[in-house]
Each structure stands twice: as structure tokens, then as C-alpha cells.
Amino acid sequence: MCTGHYDASKSMNPLNSRLIRTALGCVLLIGVISAEDFSGLDIMEKVATQPNPRSSVSRIKLTLISFRRGKEKRRVREIIRYQKFYSSGKFRTKSLIQFSKPSDVKGTAFLLWRYRSGKPDDQWLFLPALGQVRRIASRERSGNFMGTDFTYEDLSGWAIGDDSYELIGEESVSEKIPCYIVRAVPESGGSSYGQRIVWVDQENWLIKKIEFYDQDKELFKVLTITHKEKSGDYWTADGMIMENILTRHRTMMEISDVKYDTGLRDDYFTERFLIRMDP
Amino acid sequence: MIYRVWLFIITSTIYLQAQSTYSGFFQNWTALPVSGESRLLFQRNQIRFNVGLKQVPFRLYASFDIKGEQVAPRYTEEIIRESYLEILYSGLEVRIGKQYVVWGNADAVFVNDVVNPLDMRYFLIQNFDDIRIGLPMVKPSIYWKGWSLEGIWILRFEPGKVAEKGSPWQSPRNDSINVGFPVHIQWEEPVLPDQKIKNSEVGLRLSGMILGTDFSIQILNSYQDQPLNSLDSVILVQEDPEVDTVFVSGEMWMSRHYRRSPWVGLNFSRPLRSLVLRGELGYYQNYWFNVSPGLLGIDGLSSISPEPHPSDYLKMMLGIDVTGPFGMRASLQYIHSEIVDFVSGLEMENRLERLATLLLSGYYLEGDGDFSLLVLVDQLNKSGMIRTSTGYRLGEKIRLDGGWDIFWGNASSRFGQYDRNDYLYFKITYSF
């Protein structure tokens, strides 16, 4: 076993410094198998250095599954997400999310700018019923997104320098895919998790599964990538399930109609387009 | 005519395979007074249909509304809320047609949201997007490096709407006064400005971000939404001259005209950790105020002019939004208005007006249910309004809402005048 620490002074390809995107929008990954021994950091850098698109547009369906009085109840939320990724400069990503389901919130839109410096996100919300764009505070990163089991922290991902990594073993997961198991412990106080255990496919450096632990190191959430697809140079994890072990609540995420590098301009991610997106 | 044009456009767009989107809802809304009276206060069936058609660089958008009021007075409603053509070319954009322009972001009050006139025929009980009235205008905009410069040219003046006589939402208006003898007031119909270029309204807005703060400054030269009263003539009648007592009565004719009032506004909003601090400041140069009819100059009974009184007028709002766990949000606002050159005898009896608002909202049942509490308090007149509401999403398309509004204060105050109108409401909405 070996422990790796991120060295900020290390000369990196701009792509290396990109986010490791988990969950929503994560895992756009391909890679090359290597027989050499890896540290936890090496593995996570392999994950991080996969080709990333400059922009993407996707439709995301979130199915919330809960159990009440022994009965399963499903609710569907649907969004269209526009994202732009920056390899340099002050921004990390800009996202525009438009809600399309349920019908009564159709047209509501959310604009998010994330900064490379770690400065708090800038966020705006457009409420069509009021015709207003409102600046909103950076939400609690541990808060749930739209009532799902994904938190804002899960969706926005984390930079490789945010954690220390330790290779803790190897194991085959679903379909007998051999994986490295890496423990990621937050270095800074910005995370709501005590640690994450990440399963990384040894063949193509795709994340297959993540266990989320609270500050007392108790397991409470598991993310499983159920389906992935390659489009051009990029892999998309287009099916995943996040399960809360404590509440038995699950969220199924399906990503469809993904388009990469469509040339979304910078001014698309402004108040101007937030207001004028079609209902 | 406009419907045929839209039918043609929709058919052509389908033929041209332009990208189209649509949305809308059907809503039934019933309000019952809590005073025990067996009557409906408000009942409306409403169908909304929004359609957007896009063929780069053009975009057409229209929003249609069909409203059926079940309780008198039944107003004639315009079916087209918005209908415009938008042309986009790089950082340039021009929008032509009937549209809304929102320059203010205050909760439940309109401080710098001054472009579109307001439909106050039901005070604040309508959905907020039904309160603004669409205006035909040309709106060119230039965007450059996060900054935008937006112009508006309003081609035709539209006045604001107030409740008709007989409506429970009518503001009390004196039809007679007593100045030592009874005088009946004849209110003439308001005279709209002629449709001439010189009577059009213009505005400009610059907005952007400075040091993490959203900022905008805007100017507008427009007519006030409500007409101003001028005393035209007074006829005094002496009756029964053959008897010892002389009985005097009068008739007063009041003409009503719209007047211009230049305005400048400033907005800002800035996040501070889990808070957002925001503010709006609006300043009118020569805003016109009505003189109280009882103090109009009849035979030297008052020294002030019977014409509307111009004064600079300031409105400002400071607000804080707090976001908490579980989707909880609290918003607190303080609104201050001041008539700079105040004189006694105006319809607005106080130089100052102070309003405070509180909005609490949140979610339950994993977002299927939501609730809100809105409190508006007029500090000087000791009047106010509380709105409590909750909604529940029944499946993907149906939503149920219920709540109540309570008003208090004396009968001449902004909220107290509707003290008898406390009501419970129920809404069912099918959205698509």
C-alpha cells in the first residue's frame, strides 16, 4: 500500500488539474492499462487525466425511489444541463441547468460559475413565474440537489488536490471487473464527508463505485455506475444509482442526448440566456 | 388579425422544421371570504399556453392566456400576454413586440420594477406573472464581456389597471365631499396620451458585475401608471330661494390626465457567505401627486393649487436572503419611500412610507410539498397583510395549492382598506 499526496508545484498538463467529476457529469474517461504498481494518487491522476470535453449538453433524468409503509414510490425530476469546462483562467466550469420536469417548475433555470481559485461559486436562479433573476448564496455543499441523494458537493466534484489518496486493495466488482480500491480523505475542511472509498476499473480507469462515509467514518451512501457509453473520445457514465444506506432512499440517474464540444460560447452562461431559455 | 399571423407563423415554422417548445397550464382558482359571508370572493379558470419557435438567428415567442372570471366584475381580458420576435447576432439582440421587462427583484413589492404597468384590480392576490401588463416595445441589447447595455422604446402607453366600482378590491374614492356644503364629484374618464412618437417612452439600462457584486443602473422617461386629477370646474347651486334657509350644493368636475416623470434607478446584490444582500434605489424627478379633493381650492377654502403637485420622490429597498438546510429560505426587506417636497393636502398624507416584508419558504416530502409565509407590514399606518400558503405536487403534472390572506389596519391604510376581504383560497393546476 502506498499513500500519495498532491504536489501543487508539480508541472501538470492542464487536463491533470481538471476536476475529477463523479456522479453527474463525471467519468468521461478512457485510459491505458499499465502493469506497473501505482499509488493512490497515481490512480486518481490517471482517472483525472482522461480526455475531457470543452463543453457538453445533456438531458438528465433523476428518479427518486423511496419506501413508505412498505410501498415503493417513484418521483421523476428532469433537467437539461449545459456545461463549459475551462482548462485555464479563473473559471473551472460554468453550468446552466434548466428544469423540465415536474411540469410546474418547467422553465426554472439555474446558473452556476465555479472558480479555479476555490472562491465560493456564483449562482443565479431564474423563476419564470416571477420573471426575476435572483442572485443566490452558495448553498451548503452538503445539501441535497432537488430532493435526490446527490449533494451539491457530489455534483460539482472535487479537485485532485482536495484529498489525500491511499491504495487500499484490489477487488472485482460487477461483471467481475478488476478494480483498484482507493481511499480518499479530504485534506481541507470543505467536504461534508469523512472519507470516500473509490473503485477504479483497472482496464480503463473509469470509476465504478464510490462509498461515502460521514465524519465518524460510518458508511451512509453508495454510488454505483450501472452503465457507461463511449461517444467520440469521451466516456459517459450514463446510468448510476446513489443509495442512502440509512434511509433506503435511492436516486437513479440516467443521462441521455449527450452532445460534446458543441461550441457553447461563454456568453451563453450569463443572465441573458438564463432569462431567455425556452420553456 | 394577430391570431392569423401567429397561425401562419406556427404553420410555416413546422413546415421549415424550426425548433419549437411549448409549456402552459390549466388552473382553477377559488377564493372564499372568511368573514362568513356566503359568496365567492374570486373564482377564475385560466388556460395559459406558451410557445417558442427558433430558427437561428430568429426566435418567436408568444404567451396566450384565456381567463374566465366567475365572479363579478368580469373584466375583458387580453388573450396575448407576450408576443415578440427576437433577432440574435453574436453580442447583439433585438426583441420587438409585446413583452415584459423586469428591472426590479424585490419580493411582493415593486420598487425598481417600473417598466410594465401593473394590474392591481385584485390587489396582490393574482399570480405575480398576471400582475405585470405586457407592453409593445423595441428592446435592443448589446452584450460585451459580462456587461450588457439594454435600451427600451415603448411605442404605446398603457395605463395600470385598478379595480372597478363594486369590486371588493376597489380602493375607496370619494364621490362627494363636504366643504361646508355638499359637493358631488364628477370623475371624467382618463385621457390617454396621443399615439405619437413624442409620447413614446424610453429607457436605458447598464448592468454587469463589479468585485463580485451584481450591479445595474437604469433610467426611464415614462408616464406614471395612474392618471392625475385636475379640477376643471365647480358649479354651486342655491336651491329654494323662496324660503328663508338657503341650501347650497355643488358639482365638481375632475379631469384625469397622465403625466410624465423621469426616473433613475440603481440595483445591487451581493452574496456574503450564506446570505445575499440586495438593494434597490429609485429616484423620480417631479413625480406627480394628487391633491386631496377635500382641500381643492373652492372659494378660497384652501391655499393649495387644484392641480397635481410635483415633487421629487425616492423609493429604496434593502433586503437580506438567507438560505438554510432543507431548501429553507428567509428573505427580509425594508422599503422606504419619501416625498422630498412634501406639502400638506396631498392624497398621500405622510411624507414617509415604511414597509417591511418577510418571506419564509421551504420544502417537505422530498420537494413534493412546499410552504411559504409572506408578511407585509406598513409601519407608519399600522396596517399589514399575511399570506400563508402550501402546495403539494400530485404526480408529475397536477399541483394543489391552498392558503389564506389576512389584512389588518384602519380603512384608509394600504392594507387595512381590504380588512373585510380576508380569504381562504384553493387552486388546482394542471401543467404541461
Side-chain angles (χ1 to χ4, degrees):
Chain A
M1 290 185 200
C2 45
T3 305
H5 286 274
Y6 175 67
D7 178 0
S9 63
K10 190 172 161 185
S11 172
M12 293 178 73
N13 178 305
L15 288 174
N16 289 2
S17 61
R18 283 261 175 91
L19 299 174
I20 301 170
R21 279 174 290 281
T22 63
L24 187 72
C26 78
V27 203
L28 307 166
L29 317 165
I30 59 169
V32 180
I33 303 169
S34 172
E36 59 188 278
D37 290 334
F38 295 108
S39 68
L41 178 63
D42 293 335
I43 292 164
M44 296 314 289
E45 282 190 335
K46 287 277 185 192
V47 171
T49 54
Q50 307 308 313
N52 281 329
R54 289 182 296 280
S55 64
S56 69
V57 183
S58 54
R59 183 177 293 277
I60 298 167
K61 182 179 173 186
L62 296 151
T63 307
L64 285 62
I65 306 163
S66 59
F67 292 90
R68 275 193 212 156
R69 299 185 195 103
K71 282 187 180 174
E72 183 183 284
K73 184 169 181 183
R74 289 179 177 236
R75 299 175 182 81
V76 175
R77 313 274 186 260
E78 209 166 286
I79 57 176
I80 300 168
R81 191 182 61 168
Y82 304 79
Q83 265 196 308
K84 184 158 178 147
F85 308 100
Y86 296 81
S87 56
S88 59
K90 70 175 181 175
F91 296 107
R92 235 182 214 181
T93 55
K94 287 184 180 178
S95 308
L96 195 58
I97 292 171
Q98 189 185 33
F99 297 78
S100 49
K101 275 185 187 171
S103 302
D104 63 326
V105 296
K106 195 172 181 178
T108 301
F110 177 70
L111 174 65
L112 183 145
W113 292 357
R114 299 207 72 219
Y115 293 92
R116 189 169 304 284
S117 63
K119 167 190 168 190
D121 305 340
D122 281 320
Q123 301 178 39
W124 296 263
L125 185 68
F126 173 60
L127 299 165
L130 299 178
Q132 295 178 343
V133 174
R134 293 284 283 265
R135 185 76 174 262
I136 55 175
S138 293
R139 286 176 189 263
E140 292 283 323
R141 282 168 62 78
S142 58
N144 285 6
F145 176 74
M146 292 176 78
T148 68
D149 296 290
F150 292 92
T151 62
Y152 286 88
E153 182 179 355
D154 300 333
L155 301 182
S156 55
W158 65 94
I160 205 163
D162 292 347
D163 302 282
S164 64
Y165 302 101
E166 182 186 0
L167 177 63
I168 57 173
E170 297 181 24
E171 185 184 54
S172 290
V173 292
S174 57
E175 300 159 15
K176 297 186 178 172
I177 297 168
C179 289
Y180 293 114
I181 308 172
V182 177
R183 175 189 289 133
V185 179
E187 290 268 86
S188 59
S191 176
S192 58
Y193 300 117
Q195 68 174 28
R196 287 179 292 258
I197 307 290
V198 184
W199 276 254
V200 178
D201 188 336
Q202 293 182 1
E203 186 183 340
N204 53 22
W205 305 105
L206 294 171
I207 291 176
K208 295 294 295 177
K209 179 180 161 185
I210 305 175
E211 289 180 350
F212 296 86
Y213 293 76
D214 63 18
Q215 298 293 350
D216 298 326
K217 304 281 167 56
E218 293 290 332
L219 173 67
F220 75 104
K221 258 177 23 176
V222 178
L223 174 77
T224 310
I225 311 296
T226 55
H227 190 257
K228 60 184 187 294
E229 197 165 292
K230 195 175 182 189
S231 169
D233 289 340
Y234 314 115
W235 279 98
T236 305
D238 51 9
M240 58 188 89
I241 295 174
M242 181 75 94
E243 181 170 13
N244 188 313
I245 304 294
L246 306 177
T247 62
R248 291 184 63 212
H249 193 278
R250 281 181 295 156
T251 301
M252 208 159 67
M253 181 184 288
E254 296 158 81
I255 303 175
S256 60
D257 302 336
V258 187
K259 293 175 193 139
Y260 293 114
D261 298 333
T262 52
L264 290 176
R265 291 197 319 267
D266 216 38
D267 65 351
Y268 202 86
F269 298 90
T270 59
E271 194 179 307
R272 168 196 184 190
F273 276 87
L274 194 64
I275 293 170
R276 59 175 303 282
M277 292 180 82
D278 284 314
Chain B
M1 175 65 184
I2 189 80
Y3 309 111
R4 286 182 195 162
V5 171
W6 264 101
L7 190 64
F8 171 76
I9 289 168
I10 291 170
T11 314
S12 310
T13 313
I14 292 167
Y15 178 73
L16 293 169
Q17 295 184 316
Q19 188 186 339
S20 64
T21 52
Y22 68 91
S23 65
F25 62 79
F26 167 79
Q27 187 173 75
N28 174 272
W29 183 355
T30 302
L32 300 163
V34 294
S35 58
E37 297 171 47
S38 57
R39 65 185 169 104
L40 284 172
L41 191 66
F42 181 76
Q43 192 173 50
R44 171 183 280 177
N45 289 312
Q46 181 175 1
I47 299 170
R48 164 86 44 90
F49 181 66
N50 308 315
V51 58
L53 307 165
K54 192 156 60 180
Q55 182 81 302
V56 176
F58 301 103
R59 176 174 172 262
L60 284 160
Y61 177 79
S63 179
F64 303 94
D65 235 356
I66 299 171
K67 292 177 190 163
E69 314 292 348
Q70 308 302 310
V71 178
R74 291 178 186 159
Y75 298 110
T76 307
E77 302 285 357
E78 285 216 30
I79 289 178
I80 297 180
R81 297 172 67 241
E82 286 188 281
S83 171
Y84 57 77
L85 167 70
E86 200 169 62
I87 305 160
L88 286 128
Y89 181 75
S90 188
L92 296 172
E93 180 184 305
V94 181
R95 185 183 279 188
I96 304 162
K98 189 173 180 181
Q99 56 191 290
Y100 299 127
V101 171
V102 181
W103 281 358
N105 280 333
D107 286 327
V109 289
F110 298 85
V111 180
N112 280 0
D113 196 353
V114 294
V115 178
N116 292 87
L118 305 177
D119 178 358
M120 298 299 279
R121 291 174 302 176
Y122 303 96
F123 192 50
L124 292 174
I125 79 164
Q126 292 195 89
N127 294 325
F128 259 83
D129 58 347
D130 285 327
I131 290 181
R132 286 191 203 96
I133 300 169
L135 284 179
M137 65 175 101
V138 178
K139 185 167 82 74
S141 308
I142 302 168
Y143 298 89
W144 188 71
K145 291 193 173 177
W147 286 83
S148 72
L149 182 66
E150 171 186 308
I152 53 171
W153 178 28
I154 301 166
L155 306 168
R156 189 184 72 225
F157 169 73
E158 291 270 349
K161 295 177 180 175
V162 291
E164 286 178 3
K165 203 170 178 179
S167 162
W169 302 101
Q170 185 201 7
S171 277
R173 189 177 70 177
N174 293 333
D175 284 336
S176 65
I177 54 173
N178 195 317
V179 287
F181 50 87
V183 177
H184 182 252
I185 304 172
Q186 299 281 358
W187 300 94
E188 292 176 5
E189 280 300 306
V191 180
L192 291 172
D194 293 337
Q195 277 195 46
K196 291 180 179 171
I197 296 282
K198 68 172 187 177
N199 286 338
S200 60
E201 301 170 306
V202 290
L204 200 63
R205 183 190 208 212
L206 176 71
S207 56
M209 188 194 268
I210 301 172
L211 299 172
T213 303
D214 285 348
F215 163 86
S216 70
I217 184 163
Q218 47 265 327
I219 54 172
L220 182 68
N221 189 339
S222 67
Y223 286 91
Q224 291 177 212
D225 288 354
Q226 296 302 324
L228 281 300
N229 307 327
S230 299
L231 178 63
D232 264 6
S233 59
V234 181
I235 296 175
L236 299 179
V237 181
Q238 291 185 2
E239 293 176 358
D240 296 335
E242 294 175 1
V243 295
D244 289 343
T245 47
V246 176
F247 180 72
V248 181
S249 68
E251 291 281 338
M252 182 189 283
W253 272 266
M254 298 285 264
S255 64
R256 302 164 77 203
H257 296 269
Y258 294 90
R259 300 207 182 196
R260 273 186 189 273
S261 176
W263 172 87
V264 59
L266 181 73
N267 296 9
F268 77 90
S269 68
R270 179 183 175 78
L272 294 167
R273 296 179 182 273
S274 59
L275 305 175
V276 172
L277 182 66
R278 58 190 167 81
E280 295 180 14
L281 171 70
Y283 194 87
Y284 293 89
Q285 190 188 25
N286 282 346
Y287 194 85
W288 296 88
F289 294 90
N290 275 324
V291 169
S292 175
L295 291 170
L296 288 171
I298 304 169
D299 292 341
L301 286 169
S302 166
S303 59
I304 65 167
S305 161
E307 287 294 306
H309 174 71
S311 166
D312 288 4
Y313 183 44
L314 167 80
K315 268 184 136 180
M316 57 164 285
M317 180 276 295
L318 266 180
I320 292 177
D321 300 331
V322 185
T323 308
F326 312 112
M328 285 287 292
R329 180 175 166 255
S331 171
L332 197 62
Q333 297 180 142
Y334 169 73
I335 297 110
H336 174 99
S337 309
E338 183 168 351
I339 303 169
V340 178
D341 305 315
F342 182 78
V343 290
S344 61
L346 300 182
E347 255 183 358
M348 286 179 74
E349 291 171 358
N350 296 314
R351 171 191 292 274
L352 302 177
E353 195 176 41
R354 290 184 187 134
L355 202 64
T357 72
L358 169 69
L359 176 65
L360 288 173
S361 59
Y363 300 97
Y364 55 91
L365 294 176
E366 297 166 342
D368 279 349
D370 55 65
F371 66 89
S372 73
L373 170 71
L374 172 68
V375 183
L376 294 103
V377 178
D378 181 343
Q379 290 178 315
L380 293 178
N381 288 312
K382 306 269 186 294
S383 72
M385 167 186 171
I386 295 179
R387 171 172 295 169
T388 313
S389 60
T390 183
Y392 182 73
R393 192 176 288 129
L394 206 64
E396 300 300 324
K397 293 182 182 292
I398 297 172
R399 184 183 159 89
L400 305 174
D401 286 279
W404 64 89
D405 279 14
I406 296 168
F407 302 90
W408 77 86
N410 71 54
S412 62
S413 61
R414 182 204 295 245
F415 300 104
Q417 62 184 319
Y418 303 122
D419 199 8
R420 285 185 66 247
N421 289 358
D422 294 352
Y423 67 92
L424 285 166
Y425 75 87
F426 310 94
K427 280 188 217 174
I428 179 163
T429 310
Y430 175 88
S431 305
F432 56 88

